[in-house]
Amino acid sequence: MTSFWSIWVIVLTLACLAIIFGLLLWNLKNYTGVKEGESCGHEFDGIEELNNPLPKWWTYMFFATFVWSVYYLAAYPGLGNWEGLAKWTSSNQGVTSLAESKAATEQALAEGKAVQLDAEYRAAEERFGPIFNELAQIPVEDLLASKIAGDKAQETAIANGEDHEQTQGQMAMEIGQRLFAQNCAQCHGSDARGGTGFPNLTDNDWLYGGSPDKIKETLLHGRVAAMPGWKDALGEQGIKEMTAYVLSLSGRTVNQKDAEAGKAKFAMCAACHGMDGKGSVAHNLPFGAPNLTDNIWLYGGSQRAVEETLNNGRAGVMPAWKDILGEDKVHLLTAYVYSLSKEQ
């Protein structure tokens, strides 16, 4: 949170407390001009309103809760970066500032914990590295075929009460699945079906190509997509017309007059999407422009979502994993991603 918003929240909090305290004091006095216990001159369904104050215990309870709220705010870190009188943190470990957190990290390093973790990581690499390397030499299509054959053999073995030795394909897909869960599921979801701004990897619709080589290229080097905004070039009416035409490409019912006007302007989009709107993959172009005719939408296919895309543009980034995972693991991850839309 920036300093401005931190100060803004502090001022609002303290102002609310001051107002509440003022209201409590104000209600201690009688401003009605009617003596306590006497009628206020109002009657509703035979019930007469009397000028009676709140019971004393109720008033005391209000003041007690106010005092407690002031104490709680002062004792615990409720005012910006101030740690509070109780020196309390959510983890209750005494790490109340960035400096102390850094000091704790340095202490852990001094105790050799980082060295131990590094040693464990290296031991895991020595143990499993050769397996990764061996599986990475097998083409993705062969790994998938081996996995499918292994699954069928496993089903037969289970039905016959026999043991089944795991195939290389099955092993590769298990490793790929774990790599996916650890590194990719945060964006694409644990089921790989994606979300708004993150592609569905199970539907065989690809922005940069769905072959093993293209998937591996995407994973190794990442992707940077840029859809420009057309608000200034087209204007409000032009955006409306272009939206109608784009939606019509996938068979949606739209205003035909607007769609025809949008079609005349679509030439400015054809450089990336093609004149037929089938996207850069269909025309072997490297832009990652989506197919507009299949009714599959990365940022939403409603009229409002398409208008927003045309007005403001879109920018998507897929990180590169070559330096993080290494080529062997990326190969196994490629096999798993490829299998998501191909195995069936």
Side-chain angles (χ1 to χ4, degrees), residues 3 7 20 35 75 89 99 125 129 167 212 224 233 240 260-261 288 302 327:
S3 298
I7 295 172
I20 291 171
K35 291 183 179 181
T89 62
E125 284 293 308
T167 65
V224 178
K240 180 181 178 182
E260 286 299 322
S302 67
E327 293 199 27

Side-chain angles (χ1 to χ4, degrees), residues 242-253:
M242 185 71 81
T243 298
Y245 177 65
V246 169
L247 291 175
S248 73
L249 291 174
S250 57
R252 305 275 286 278
T253 301

Side-chain angles (χ1 to χ4, degrees), residues 274-286:
M275 282 303 297
D276 56 3
K278 292 187 176 180
S280 54
V281 171
H283 299 281
N284 198 27
L285 298 173

Side-chain angles (χ1 to χ4, degrees), residues 214-226:
K214 285 297 182 180
I215 295 174
K216 190 171 185 178
E217 179 183 313
T218 297
L219 290 169
L220 284 172
H221 307 297
R223 301 289 184 183
V224 178

